[in-house]
Amino acid sequence: MSGREKFAVFTIDVETFSDTGCLYEAGIKVAEDMLDGLDEYIRILERYGIKATMFTVCEAAQIARDAIADYIRRGHKLAVHGLDHTAPLDMNDEQFWRQTKEAKARLEEMFGVTVRGFRAPFFSLDNRKLEILRSLGFQYDASRTEFGGARHGGRMDMSDFAQLLAGMFRQNGFYECGISCQKMFGQMMPISGGGYTRLMNWMFLKPVIRKYLAMSDYYVFYLHPFELSHRTAPHIKGLRSYDRYYLTRGLSVFPDRIVSIIEMLKEEGYRFVTFEELVDIMESRRVGAR
């Protein structure tokens, strides 16, 4: 373990099962929301004293309102994941401004907190949309990915930002916080949760994550409620074979993988924080350095 301080952030994209990419893009609506997976995730994290950052779609917030309010009271943090699950790069700037402003206002009114962060559905964001977030009063975004295969994924140029950690950047008081990626098979691949961690062969992936954690100072984990739900997903006709594979593969082993990653992070001396806490830490260091 190195002497430098290392930070781990555990997040969840709080969205309904119908918001899952392959269903949303096909316009398929299902009655089962699978939001009980949020409860299971919080149970796992709280066993280790970890607080989550909950990037929340407004519709899902309404459905799980009581649970989210309780988790906020227990120290977990709320952030925006959209008015709905539309990819921001599928919207023009005015639409994105209007919908994101409304989503922020709705969540703040619903839960009586100030929302400081945003994560784009599908990690779909670019520098123009980033400036819109800044204009709306957000302090950080968590949409950056170096994975070129993300659906609707955007590219953000960080050349005008100061890099603070392996995936965290700052410019004029605004922070961009990426998901963790590692080079595999000749390209950058996410090792930060979601389907990537669930679908890959664990005997291959675990040592890759362990090596990354030993060398890095920043790790982000994320998932979706359906991936930890105890409910049975409905059979959906007309899905492509890969989409059916994505929706079902690895669900039973995912909780154990989350615990394994948490244990690896503890062994490497990572400090567990929310994005809100991490931004505050970086801001206080900047003030102290003056």
Side-chain angles (χ1 to χ4, degrees):
M1 184 178 72
S2 71
R4 70 185 186 280
E5 194 165 16
K6 306 166 82 164
F7 298 96
V9 186
F10 277 74
T11 73
I12 182 169
D13 294 351
V14 184
E15 58 192 58
T16 67
F17 189 48
S18 297
D19 288 327
T20 307
C22 57
L23 303 182
Y24 187 85
E25 291 183 330
I28 298 172
K29 278 283 190 180
V30 295
E32 183 56 76
D33 57 57
M34 312 289 277
L35 284 170
D36 65 300
L38 168 63
D39 305 321
E40 181 61 24
Y41 188 51
I42 297 297
R43 276 193 289 271
I44 293 172
L45 296 187
E46 289 188 344
R47 279 162 43 194
Y48 292 90
I50 299 171
K51 305 301 183 186
T53 301
M54 303 178 290
F55 292 96
T56 308
V57 175
C58 284
E59 180 184 2
Q62 190 62 53
I63 296 169
R65 183 169 184 167
D66 290 345
I68 293 172
D70 182 46
Y71 296 145
I72 291 171
R73 285 191 292 269
R74 283 149 61 172
H76 303 277
K77 299 300 181 181
L78 182 70
V80 174
H81 195 44
L83 188 63
D84 58 26
H85 206 254
T86 302
L89 293 182
D90 288 346
M91 299 183 236
N92 63 39
D93 288 351
E94 196 279 329
Q95 288 172 321
F96 178 68
W97 178 87
R98 185 179 67 251
Q99 290 200 18
T100 307
K101 180 180 180 181
E102 182 177 348
K104 187 175 189 293
R106 279 195 194 181
L107 291 178
E108 290 181 336
E109 180 179 3
M110 199 180 301
F111 297 103
V113 297
T114 299
V115 173
R116 299 166 60 186
F118 178 86
R119 174 180 283 156
F122 306 102
F123 300 102
S124 172
L125 214 67
D126 59 14
N127 289 73
R128 285 181 62 85
K129 297 293 194 291
L130 210 59
E131 286 303 312
I132 291 172
L133 293 179
R134 194 195 300 256
S135 76
L136 290 172
F138 289 94
Q139 192 175 10
Y140 75 88
D141 171 67
S143 307
R144 183 174 183 270
T145 176
E146 296 178 87
F147 176 50
R151 287 180 176 178
H152 305 275
R155 288 293 181 184
M156 282 181 271
D157 180 5
M158 295 287 105
S159 59
D160 290 336
F161 286 66
Q163 184 167 357
L164 307 177
L165 300 169
M168 188 179 194
F169 304 81
R170 183 186 187 280
Q171 183 194 68
N172 300 325
F174 184 85
Y175 289 79
E176 179 56 45
C177 309
I179 63 169
S180 303
C181 293
Q182 177 73 5
K183 195 164 189 178
M184 293 183 281
F185 313 116
Q187 66 173 321
M188 296 299 289
M189 298 286 291
I191 55 168
S192 44
Y196 310 107
T197 303
R198 177 168 52 86
L199 301 178
M200 284 190 187
N201 181 287
W202 188 237
M203 295 299 291
F204 166 78
L205 184 60
K206 185 177 180 179
V208 172
I209 295 176
R210 187 181 295 279
K211 181 179 179 181
Y212 172 89
L213 297 181
M215 299 178 65
S216 187
D217 55 9
Y218 170 89
Y219 180 77
V220 174
F221 187 88
Y222 83 100
L223 48 67
H224 311 92
F226 87 88
E227 295 177 293
L228 291 179
S229 175
H230 292 295
R231 300 169 187 166
T232 301
H235 178 75
I236 302 167
K237 295 181 180 179
L239 284 180
R240 297 175 301 179
S241 58
Y242 174 78
D243 291 334
R244 193 173 304 282
Y245 176 82
Y246 171 79
L247 293 175
T248 58
R249 176 72 174 175
L251 297 178
S252 63
V253 301
F254 204 25
D256 290 339
R257 293 189 180 187
I258 296 169
V259 169
S260 181
I261 290 171
I262 291 172
E263 293 289 353
M264 284 191 281
L265 287 161
K266 289 175 61 181
E267 290 171 12
E268 288 294 336
Y270 277 76
R271 177 178 173 183
F272 297 97
V273 293
T274 63
F275 273 132
E276 289 73 12
E277 290 170 332
L278 186 53
V279 164
D280 289 343
I281 289 168
M282 293 301 158
E283 280 294 286
S284 66
R285 287 181 177 179
R286 180 174 173 272
V287 171
R290 289 176 179 173

